[in-house]
Amino acid sequence: MIDPQEIPLLRYLLLLRVHKPLLVLPPYLALELAYATSVMISERLPSSQLKPWKKLITAWEAANPISEDRRTRLIHNPPQSVWPLDLAWLPYRVKQTYGHGEIISCELKLFGRSASHELFLELILPVLEAAGLTPDRRWSRPNSVWGGFHLENVYVARGRQWEPVVEDGQVDFSVRPGTRQWCDGLDLTVVPAGHTHRLRWYTPYAHTPEPPQFRKREHLCRVAQENAPGMSALVQALAVRLEKLAPEISSDWMLGIEDLAMQVGNNTEHVSCVPKYWPGTVWGDQELSYVPEQLMPILRLASMLHIGFHTHVGCGNFRLV
């Protein structure tokens, strides 16, 4: 079985306080978060560290041509590119419009070699603060999120608890979270009370880095149902993810698991295509015929780490409901 202690991970909960009268979020906030922070990070780095970031920005721009007004770039597609950091943006979807004083919540995960609290404090935190306070014509629009919030509080996960890192805009530099504390007290073998065999995609699953070629909704829904991953595919996707984030973990955990996973049925009747301007291809609910106890930790870990493509913009996160 996989020991979660072997997987370096830092989870941050970000609370963004709106200071505009009206703020309208983009269709999929994680896309703009990833793009804007990528550009701003690249502008703060010395030239010796710029090469991979320039490649990423070029890929962003190629995947999202500038809009007709020639002022802003509408970010709808994540790039097919190597990312300099292993991270995932995961905004909590509550609503699309916010008023003055309301809170937007977002989770940021740093994985593997990128799981560094110093990196968060020295690079990501200043970029988020600047993005919230300063409008930028490259991605700002009327009532957009950029220049419309201040970063009020930040918490870091210790098991199921959130410990403060930033309170009322003030950083507590005495906090030194470890990259293994995310799983303190978590027993992934425990079956959540009241769970069913329904797997619900909290963010879309991207089975391919390519966006669908045909835009008719009927076709996209058929593509989604055909590519909704069954239990065996979920196990394989986790193996691919672990190979990248924690290559030192032996693949022995898969012995016997794959055969067991192949016995689990997968009903995709309630799977649908993703909403317009969202990444990925699979959305909605899947009905698994049953979930063996041996596979419960696999599912919970796969959801925590995200699976499939475009994990940087939060894709590949699900729940059993």
Side-chain angles (χ1 to χ4, degrees):
M1 190 52 65
I2 304 166
D3 181 1
Q5 288 281 345
E6 297 183 61
I7 305 170
L9 169 60
L10 287 170
R11 296 176 59 200
Y12 295 96
L13 176 62
L14 316 172
L15 301 186
L16 316 177
R17 177 79 66 178
V18 176
H19 58 235
K20 279 184 177 180
L22 176 65
L23 189 152
V24 181
L25 298 186
Y28 194 82
L29 177 58
L31 279 170
E32 286 199 7
L33 268 171
Y35 171 62
T37 54
S38 295
V39 172
M40 296 179 73
I41 285 173
S42 70
E43 294 172 344
R44 291 168 176 257
L45 293 174
S47 57
S48 60
Q49 300 177 28
L50 276 181
K51 187 175 181 179
W53 290 96
K54 284 185 175 180
K55 287 184 176 180
L56 176 61
I57 303 307
T58 299
W60 270 114
E61 294 173 352
N64 300 272
I66 200 164
S67 60
E68 292 182 1
D69 62 14
R70 299 296 177 185
R71 291 183 300 171
T72 60
R73 191 178 300 278
L74 302 180
I75 305 300
H76 298 153
N77 299 310
Q80 300 176 43
S81 181
V82 175
W83 292 68
L85 298 176
D86 280 322
L87 56 80
W89 292 103
L90 188 63
Y92 296 166
R93 292 181 297 106
V94 178
K95 56 183 181 176
Q96 291 298 114
T97 60
Y98 289 79
H100 187 277
E102 291 190 290
I103 291 288
I104 301 171
S105 302
C106 177
E107 189 172 335
L108 170 66
K109 301 178 184 180
L110 300 179
F111 302 101
R113 289 177 293 180
S114 299
S116 164
H117 188 59
E118 289 73 20
L119 182 148
F120 175 77
L121 291 179
E122 296 172 7
L123 193 60
I124 298 176
L125 185 61
V127 161
L128 281 172
E129 291 174 333
L133 297 174
T134 308
D136 192 311
R137 56 181 271 171
R138 291 174 293 181
W139 42 75
S140 288
R141 300 172 306 280
N143 301 321
S144 78
V145 65
W146 309 111
F149 67 87
H150 61 271
L151 188 57
E152 185 166 88
N153 294 332
V154 177
Y155 303 90
V156 65
R158 182 182 295 277
R160 296 183 180 277
Q161 305 300 316
W162 293 100
E163 299 179 342
V165 174
V166 177
E167 292 188 285
D168 296 324
Q170 300 299 311
V171 181
D172 184 350
F173 290 101
S174 68
V175 176
R176 297 293 177 187
T179 58
R180 270 75 178 178
Q181 71 177 45
W182 67 274
C183 57
D184 283 1
L186 290 181
D187 186 353
L188 299 179
T189 64
V190 175
V191 179
H195 92 285
T196 68
H197 301 145
R198 181 178 291 239
L199 186 153
R200 176 168 296 163
W201 291 101
Y202 183 73
T203 58
Y205 172 71
H207 75 282
T208 170
E210 299 271 359
Q213 296 300 309
F214 301 98
R215 308 308 294 179
K216 288 187 177 180
R217 185 169 181 82
E218 295 80 4
H219 173 82
L220 295 179
C221 287
R222 185 166 66 252
V223 169
Q225 292 179 348
E226 291 173 353
N227 290 279
M231 188 70 79
S232 182
L234 291 168
V235 170
Q236 290 290 337
L238 176 59
V240 171
R241 191 78 170 125
L242 287 173
E243 186 176 356
K244 179 181 181 183
L245 301 181
E248 65 278 4
I249 293 180
S250 169
S251 60
D252 290 349
W253 64 271
M254 295 184 68
L255 296 175
I257 292 293
E258 290 181 291
D259 291 339
L260 186 61
M262 292 179 66
Q263 301 173 25
V264 179
N266 181 32
N267 185 339
T268 64
E269 178 183 356
H270 299 290
V271 168
S272 64
C273 58
V274 302
K276 191 176 182 180
Y277 300 134
W278 284 33
T281 46
V282 177
W283 182 242
D285 292 0
Q286 298 173 227
E287 293 284 353
L288 303 174
S289 57
Y290 72 111
V291 180
E293 287 186 21
Q294 301 95 311
L295 294 181
M296 182 60 70
I298 304 300
L299 287 181
R300 296 181 69 187
L301 193 56
S303 174
M304 185 76 70
L305 300 181
H306 301 247
I307 55 172
F309 293 95
H310 304 318
T311 55
H312 286 82
V313 292
C315 286
N317 179 256
F318 59 86
R319 301 285 188 273
L320 287 177
V321 297

